Amino acid sequence: MHELSICHSIADIVTRHAGGRPVRTVHLRIGQLRQIVPDTLVYCWSLVSQDTALEGSELRVESIPAQIRCAECDHVETLTAPVMRCGMCGGQQVSVVAGDEFLITSLELAEA
Ligand SMILES: [Zn+2]
């Protein structure tokens, strides 16, 4: 379960950025190719934040669908299954254009 170690990393980053101010919500953007289960991540967050300054803060995960671009015909396709093939021409010379994101997009801090 790598969600737990991911939560530790997020907590480190958030704590640094909050600079002692109380954090209400952490917004994350995670690509679907990352194979992270958002519900598991939220659960791990409650464990990791417990008894720290981040206790009670909320993790909001936005899931980004995976997209690939075909080198043959430049078609961009959103993947519904993990098949790296162009749906337009069947080409397999594709590159991932979306879906491997892992970003903290914003923090909501409580009023001082
Ligand atoms: Zn193609």
Side-chain angles (χ1 to χ4, degrees), residues 54-87:
L54 296 172
E55 184 165 8
S57 63
E58 194 192 342
L59 209 61
R60 291 253 182 95
V61 180
E62 184 191 348
S63 222
I64 307 296
Q67 288 189 327
I68 54 170
R69 184 191 306 276
C70 177
E72 308 282 328
C73 71
D74 213 34
H75 172 65
V76 173
E77 178 168 2
T78 300
L79 295 181
T80 48
V83 179
M84 297 293 182
R85 185 184 304 158
C86 175

Side-chain angles (χ1 to χ4, degrees), residues 16-28:
R16 215 176 311 137
H17 282 271
R21 290 164 296 180
V23 176
R24 211 177 276 161
T25 315
V26 180
H27 295 271
L28 292 175

